Amino acid sequence: MQPFVRNLWYLAAWANEVPAGGMLSRKLLGTARVIFQRGDGQWAMLADRCPHRFAPLSRGRRVGDTIRCGYHGLGFDSTGACVHNSFAGGGIPQGAAVESLPIVERHGGLWFWPGDPSKADPAGIPDFTFLEGSPNVFTRLLMDAHYELLTDNLMDLSHAEFLHVESFGTNGSLLNHGKQTVETDDSGAIWNKWDMDAVDPPGWAQPMLQPGEEVDQWIHMRWHAPAAMALSIGLARSATGRRQLVVPAMLDPHILTPETHSTTHYFFWHQATEDARAMAEQVFRREDEPMIRAAFEAMDGVEFWDLKPLILPSDNAALRARRRLMKLRADEDAAPTAA
Amino acid sequence: MQPFVRNLWYLAAWANEVPAGGMLSRKLLGTARVIFQRGDGQWAMLADRCPHRFAPLSRGRRVGDTIRCGYHGLGFDSTGACVHNSFAGGGIPQGAAVESLPIVERHGGLWFWPGDPSKADPAGIPDFTFLEGSPNVFTRLLMDAHYELLTDNLMDLSHAEFLHVESFGTNGSLLNHGKQTVETDDSGAIWNKWDMDAVDPPGWAQPMLQPGEEVDQWIHMRWHAPAAMALSIGLARSATGRRQLVVPAMLDPHILTPETHSTTHYFFWHQATEDARAMAEQVFRREDEPMIRAAFEAMDGVEFWDLKPLILPSDNAALRARRRLMKLRADEDAAPTAA
Amino acid sequence: MQPFVRNLWYLAAWANEVPAGGMLSRKLLGTARVIFQRGDGQWAMLADRCPHRFAPLSRGRRVGDTIRCGYHGLGFDSTGACVHNSFAGGGIPQGAAVESLPIVERHGGLWFWPGDPSKADPAGIPDFTFLEGSPNVFTRLLMDAHYELLTDNLMDLSHAEFLHVESFGTNGSLLNHGKQTVETDDSGAIWNKWDMDAVDPPGWAQPMLQPGEEVDQWIHMRWHAPAAMALSIGLARSATGRRQLVVPAMLDPHILTPETHSTTHYFFWHQATEDARAMAEQVFRREDEPMIRAAFEAMDGVEFWDLKPLILPSDNAALRARRRLMKLRADEDAAPTAA
């Protein structure tokens, strides 16, 4: 199993997943962490394991800006330092502390850095400004597959023509008329762009158009390492320079964080309607997840490249993302960090 | 764990388990396979894993004599060759194919050959002609034990005097009067024959006989490697040269195929009555399976011979079958096949 | 994983867990054993695995002072010797036997010796005379954690001030006024004694006292290797030399036996009332077990000392017990026994 790249920002949770005044316990990159917010608004992430007898700190309780272990009462502050011993006159053991990780709130998400803390520059958090102030429901699914298989899925949306044909009313436009462009940009992003010009509209859009009217459609996915993606979808009346939109353009987060080597936190959102919730449930949980999990099981623990995968042109962007991660991993192996 | 012998015919499924026009996915010898029938009646068995992104092909759909992958739409024919790319102008990647295995319908069963295809001669499929045209219900149980433990069970039916005493109304005839003969024949079979002459009838047969009347009983099991067995049971009025049968002689298939090293497909049949179904459920599922599974668990992953099993004369046939498989395994290790 | 110390008496079961005339199957120190009582009152413990085809003997039946295997009928006596072959004229295979372990009834418990039988002196069974003749309910829980974590829990009852504060109505007396004494005695015991003199009474005792009246409280735990503990709790009116008890002093068994390296049989008792049963369920199953299991999971398979645990003064007794076991293990490693 390839180790995770550590000197990167990963999404730990949506900020609103942490109960006010409380704690959130979450396994991330194979290790249990506890997340909480101080009274001054700063966030903290600690190893979710007391150094005394290894009880999860999240089974304790908050006392001000500290956590008290629920087993024997030691208290830890947001830097991980032990600051309380419940025995009268007990004193604080020298150097007692739990691991603390850099964590930053940005764009409604809590991003943490599992690598060398001295390298943790929040400027490296990918831009998800579009998330701010949205009325959408921020949600999360736990998927039973290695996170790179989910990246493959998202970086090649041609699968929608097969796996989601009923949910999305796809009609072969991408397969028959799609022009694929793979680009990088200065932010370090890899873009996978599908553009379909002057094509028949998908089923769901037909009621909004004249019979026979054609559309320009675009499906653009942006990827930042390790697996933070943003999807941009648009549908415009043809020959309007993409100016007359049939529906407002959509921007969606698709952000992945490994829980373990075989399970993945999948962060996304949906509109705050029952229909949108049910559609997300159908598409992600009933269509994508079983297929990706089945593929993961079929790999039977063998590494992706060792299986000599068949390469199609449509894999271009997904493979470029995989190679970027391989490069980052190789760099970390060559120069191990302090973490 | 000893590897499976590969240059042998194994039963993959009863033919009627495969839906008409559809597919059957089944794990066999540790690997997922997909089975389907072409329009001309020929059968095909492929690796149930697309070489592109490893989705099980059985999650796709049949298109004529091919399977289309349900993830990104590649199509494969019955030889495993990739014959379709759903992208307009996409072309077929050079040499794209999945593994294909020899599979043959014979006697109502689908027999496959996991070894060197050049050695796959259907003449080696053991004779189960008696299955043809039967009104019996062909069925299958998945048993949680290594298949050789089930062979041990079937090749020493003296266990019926203990484990099935209530279901079968056994009365000690085999233990007290059984004459055991172990034979081989030109077909490669090993026979385990129990003959009980001039004995009291088993409980279920008593209503068909005069009080005090004696019977000749025989219980003959035939074994072919790896684990295809046929059971012949007869009950005749004594001193009639086995000509006056009390009930018609019975012939039953007991055919085992490893799903994995710890689970086994057990293929058998029963008469098409509710009583017969309930009896099969009782005997196989509630009496044999828990005992064999418990013994398998008690072995705790240690090889049979390393446990220094106690040898009884009644083990003769079962041990001969084990040694035959050891010889076949040793031969394959000495001269690895192409498979 | 450190091996278990073998030359010690472990509690296998409460005597009344074994059905009269029947058998009890139990996994102990990773191995399945079957326990039964002979007609003359002597107890027997055998490996729960027939040496013929590895069926658990406990799936067979008792015949006098022997067990008949339920698979092929071999019989074994209380020494493990094969004494019966159900085949007429079958004879007993030379030297056929299953492992037999020393087992002794003492104080209502069945104690067994998994090590060198020649060293099994019942004088080494720790004294639990106080169990005899009690109307209490002897019970057992299976806990999902290594047994030494449960020892840690019991040898440092200061955790009651956090984990059981609601169940026990603890009020900080131990933390604020507890005087801890750790002692050994001639029996090989390690004692962890907490004494709180002239303190406010715990919540449950207040109705029995005058407002403002103070109490002397003591909580003494006695440990014998490997993990047989006895708890003595007392509450007396202050300044009476501990003679005027508020409630009768309590003596409770807390005896641990590993089922495996990750699960533990926890033997204890409670009074024969529904309230006492519900309290035991609450404290052991809903408060202790989840915390200890969570700590065990958080250790993630790493050895206790390799995690560099933070040491508090209150750990003194628990650590002394751990070191005693380390010494016993080291001694056994240096001079392996016959077992």
Short mmCIF file of all heavy atoms in Angstrom, two decimals, chain B residues 5 62 89 96 103 111 131 184 186 209 224 227 249 279 285 291 318 326 331:
data_model
loop_
_atom_site.label_atom_id
_atom_site.label_comp_id
_atom_site.label_asym_id
_atom_site.label_seq_id
_atom_site.Cartn_x
_atom_site.Cartn_y
_atom_site.Cartn_z
N VAL B 5 -5.22 -27.34 -7.37
CA VAL B 5 -4.80 -27.99 -8.61
C VAL B 5 -5.57 -27.33 -9.75
O VAL B 5 -6.78 -27.14 -9.66
CB VAL B 5 -5.12 -29.51 -8.55
CG1 VAL B 5 -4.69 -30.18 -9.83
CG2 VAL B 5 -4.42 -30.14 -7.35
N ARG B 62 -25.63 -7.31 -21.26
CA ARG B 62 -25.41 -8.11 -22.45
C ARG B 62 -25.83 -7.31 -23.66
O ARG B 62 -26.91 -6.70 -23.68
CB ARG B 62 -26.26 -9.39 -22.39
CG ARG B 62 -25.80 -10.43 -21.39
CD ARG B 62 -24.57 -11.17 -21.88
NE ARG B 62 -24.80 -11.75 -23.20
CZ ARG B 62 -25.32 -12.96 -23.41
NH1 ARG B 62 -25.65 -13.73 -22.41
NH2 ARG B 62 -25.50 -13.40 -24.65
N GLY B 89 -15.25 7.27 -32.58
CA GLY B 89 -13.88 7.34 -33.07
C GLY B 89 -12.85 6.87 -32.06
O GLY B 89 -11.65 7.08 -32.25
N ALA B 96 -6.33 -5.34 -26.17
CA ALA B 96 -7.19 -5.24 -24.98
C ALA B 96 -8.03 -6.51 -24.85
O ALA B 96 -8.73 -6.88 -25.79
CB ALA B 96 -8.08 -4.02 -25.07
N ILE B 103 -14.93 -23.49 -20.89
CA ILE B 103 -16.12 -23.89 -20.12
C ILE B 103 -17.04 -24.68 -21.04
O ILE B 103 -17.21 -24.33 -22.21
CB ILE B 103 -16.83 -22.66 -19.50
CG1 ILE B 103 -18.00 -23.12 -18.60
CG2 ILE B 103 -17.29 -21.68 -20.56
CD1 ILE B 103 -18.58 -22.01 -17.74
N TRP B 111 -18.87 -26.92 -16.68
CA TRP B 111 -17.56 -27.32 -16.16
C TRP B 111 -16.50 -26.41 -16.75
O TRP B 111 -16.46 -26.18 -17.95
CB TRP B 111 -17.28 -28.78 -16.54
CG TRP B 111 -18.29 -29.74 -15.99
CD1 TRP B 111 -19.53 -30.01 -16.50
CD2 TRP B 111 -18.16 -30.54 -14.81
NE1 TRP B 111 -20.19 -30.93 -15.72
CE2 TRP B 111 -19.35 -31.29 -14.66
CE3 TRP B 111 -17.16 -30.72 -13.86
CZ2 TRP B 111 -19.56 -32.17 -13.60
CZ3 TRP B 111 -17.37 -31.60 -12.82
CH2 TRP B 111 -18.56 -32.32 -12.69
N LEU B 131 -27.55 -37.43 -14.44
CA LEU B 131 -28.22 -36.17 -14.12
C LEU B 131 -29.19 -35.74 -15.21
O LEU B 131 -30.11 -34.96 -14.95
CB LEU B 131 -27.18 -35.06 -13.93
CG LEU B 131 -26.18 -35.22 -12.78
CD1 LEU B 131 -25.19 -34.04 -12.78
CD2 LEU B 131 -26.90 -35.30 -11.44
N THR B 184 -10.21 -48.45 -7.21
CA THR B 184 -10.05 -47.45 -8.27
C THR B 184 -10.53 -48.08 -9.56
O THR B 184 -10.69 -49.31 -9.65
CB THR B 184 -8.59 -47.02 -8.43
OG1 THR B 184 -7.80 -48.19 -8.68
CG2 THR B 184 -8.09 -46.35 -7.15
N ASP B 186 -10.76 -47.50 -14.21
CA ASP B 186 -10.07 -46.94 -15.38
C ASP B 186 -10.40 -45.47 -15.61
O ASP B 186 -9.63 -44.75 -16.26
CB ASP B 186 -10.45 -47.73 -16.64
CG ASP B 186 -9.83 -49.12 -16.62
OD1 ASP B 186 -8.94 -49.35 -15.77
OD2 ASP B 186 -10.22 -49.95 -17.45
N LEU B 209 -41.50 -53.42 4.90
CA LEU B 209 -41.03 -54.79 5.02
C LEU B 209 -41.84 -55.54 6.07
O LEU B 209 -42.55 -54.94 6.88
CB LEU B 209 -39.55 -54.79 5.45
CG LEU B 209 -38.58 -54.17 4.43
CD1 LEU B 209 -37.31 -53.72 5.10
CD2 LEU B 209 -38.28 -55.21 3.33
N HIS B 224 -14.11 -38.35 -8.28
CA HIS B 224 -13.14 -37.93 -9.29
C HIS B 224 -12.50 -36.63 -8.84
O HIS B 224 -13.20 -35.76 -8.27
CB HIS B 224 -13.82 -37.71 -10.65
CG HIS B 224 -14.07 -38.95 -11.42
ND1 HIS B 224 -15.28 -39.63 -11.36
CD2 HIS B 224 -13.27 -39.69 -12.25
CE1 HIS B 224 -15.22 -40.70 -12.13
NE2 HIS B 224 -14.02 -40.77 -12.69
N ALA B 227 -13.12 -33.02 -6.83
CA ALA B 227 -14.08 -33.32 -5.77
C ALA B 227 -15.47 -33.54 -6.33
O ALA B 227 -16.46 -33.04 -5.82
CB ALA B 227 -14.10 -32.19 -4.74
N ALA B 249 -33.20 -47.78 -6.42
CA ALA B 249 -31.84 -47.36 -6.08
C ALA B 249 -31.71 -45.85 -6.32
O ALA B 249 -32.36 -45.29 -7.20
CB ALA B 249 -30.82 -48.13 -6.92
N MET B 279 -35.62 -31.94 4.08
CA MET B 279 -34.64 -32.94 4.53
C MET B 279 -33.23 -32.52 4.11
O MET B 279 -32.28 -32.63 4.90
CB MET B 279 -34.99 -34.30 3.92
CG MET B 279 -33.93 -35.37 4.14
SD MET B 279 -33.73 -35.83 5.89
CE MET B 279 -34.65 -37.39 5.88
N ARG B 285 -27.41 -28.45 5.83
CA ARG B 285 -27.22 -27.13 6.42
C ARG B 285 -27.16 -27.16 7.95
O ARG B 285 -26.40 -26.42 8.56
CB ARG B 285 -28.36 -26.21 5.93
CG ARG B 285 -28.36 -24.81 6.46
CD ARG B 285 -27.07 -24.05 6.22
NE ARG B 285 -26.90 -23.55 4.87
CZ ARG B 285 -25.71 -23.21 4.36
NH1 ARG B 285 -24.60 -23.36 5.08
NH2 ARG B 285 -25.60 -22.78 3.13
N MET B 291 -20.91 -28.86 11.77
CA MET B 291 -19.85 -29.74 12.26
C MET B 291 -18.57 -29.53 11.45
O MET B 291 -17.47 -29.42 12.01
CB MET B 291 -20.30 -31.20 12.17
CG MET B 291 -19.32 -32.19 12.75
SD MET B 291 -19.04 -31.98 14.53
CE MET B 291 -20.36 -33.03 15.20
N ALA B 318 -11.02 -41.58 1.84
CA ALA B 318 -10.81 -40.14 1.92
C ALA B 318 -9.33 -39.80 1.84
O ALA B 318 -8.94 -38.83 1.17
CB ALA B 318 -11.42 -39.60 3.22
N MET B 326 -2.64 -34.46 -3.67
CA MET B 326 -1.26 -34.06 -3.34
C MET B 326 -0.32 -34.38 -4.51
O MET B 326 0.57 -33.59 -4.85
CB MET B 326 -0.79 -34.79 -2.08
CG MET B 326 -1.47 -34.33 -0.81
SD MET B 326 -1.17 -35.49 0.57
CE MET B 326 0.56 -35.15 0.89
N ASP B 331 2.86 -32.53 -9.08
CA ASP B 331 3.18 -32.57 -10.51
C ASP B 331 3.08 -31.17 -11.11
O ASP B 331 3.92 -30.78 -11.93
CB ASP B 331 2.22 -33.52 -11.25
CG ASP B 331 2.47 -34.97 -10.86
OD1 ASP B 331 3.49 -35.25 -10.20
OD2 ASP B 331 1.64 -35.82 -11.23
#
